[in-house]
Amino acid sequence: MSKVLVPIANGNEDIEAITIIDVLRRGGVAVTVASIHESKQVVMAHGTKVEADVRLAEVSEQVFDAIVLPGGMPGAEHLRDCQLLIDMLEKHDIDDALLAAICASPAVVFGTHGFVVDKQATCYPGFEAGLTGAEYLPNEPVVMDGNILTGKGPAAAMVFALTVLGNLKGYETAQGVADGLLC
């Protein structure tokens, strides 16, 4: 079974976080939702309260098939500033695991820490200057380049999550989930 880490922080985009978690679990992926804060309780950008499965420190030594970051502000900044998460992303990048981020996170997290250098990427409009070293593709809802997957924003959350699922479990599984969701 594929294992995915979804780190969450206060201020992450509600739709993106929940869609990623839900779609991947529907597809049979073992999703670990980890708060980067001391508390497992996180308040999303629009007030949705989410209780993470664990705190990030509890799973920092585990190996995942993918790490998937929701966006939203100031959530993306909290993710960017979490050294434990950045260390995990670097370790997983070296192992060629799938690293995925949507909305502000491709620029704020991946761009700040060098994960999109010499890659094509997308992000929420207005954050593209943060895609340091990347080729910005403004008209694509989702961009895959090597092991890096980026998504544009809340409206692209479903296709983004389905793309993550397809990369982990194959097209047929992703299409089956999409059909069940009437996509």
Side-chain angles (χ1 to χ4, degrees):
M1 178 178 275
S2 296
K3 291 175 41 176
V4 173
L5 176 67
V6 179
I8 59 172
N10 291 322
N12 275 137
E13 173 58 46
D14 311 44
I15 290 171
E16 294 163 0
I18 299 303
T19 302
I20 291 163
I21 295 162
D22 182 82
V23 167
L24 293 177
R25 286 183 173 163
R26 286 175 192 251
V29 173
V31 177
T32 300
V33 180
S35 168
I36 67 161
H37 304 296
E38 286 300 314
S39 171
K40 291 195 300 186
Q41 181 93 11
V42 173
V43 180
M44 297 285 134
H46 299 282
T48 303
K49 292 178 182 161
V50 175
E51 181 155 346
D53 302 314
V54 296
R55 290 179 17 257
L56 187 63
E58 296 172 52
V59 295
S60 63
E61 298 302 318
Q62 291 186 28
V63 176
F64 295 90
D65 298 299
I67 299 176
V68 185
L69 309 180
M73 292 297 280
E77 293 172 326
H78 293 310
L79 296 176
R80 174 197 66 203
D81 297 339
C82 177
Q83 190 58 52
L84 183 57
L85 174 60
I86 302 312
D87 292 345
M88 291 179 74
L89 286 167
E90 288 173 351
K91 177 182 170 197
H92 282 74
D93 189 35
I94 290 167
D95 292 340
D96 215 27
L98 177 64
L99 303 183
I102 188 169
C103 193
S105 286
V108 174
V109 182
F110 285 180
T112 298
H113 294 286
F115 293 102
V116 291
V117 173
D118 296 327
K119 304 276 187 188
Q120 293 182 323
T122 194
C123 65
Y124 195 86
F127 285 87
E128 60 272 10
L131 291 172
T132 307
E135 177 188 350
Y136 174 55
L137 301 181
N139 298 319
E140 300 298 328
V142 176
V143 176
M144 182 96 190
D145 192 339
N147 67 319
I148 304 294
L149 176 67
T150 53
K152 195 167 186 175
M158 185 66 69
V159 69
F160 175 79
L162 288 166
T163 303
V164 172
L165 180 59
N167 273 275
L168 295 170
K169 303 273 291 198
Y171 173 81
E172 288 184 16
T173 298
Q175 188 60 55
V177 171
D179 290 347
L181 293 169
L182 304 178
C183 291

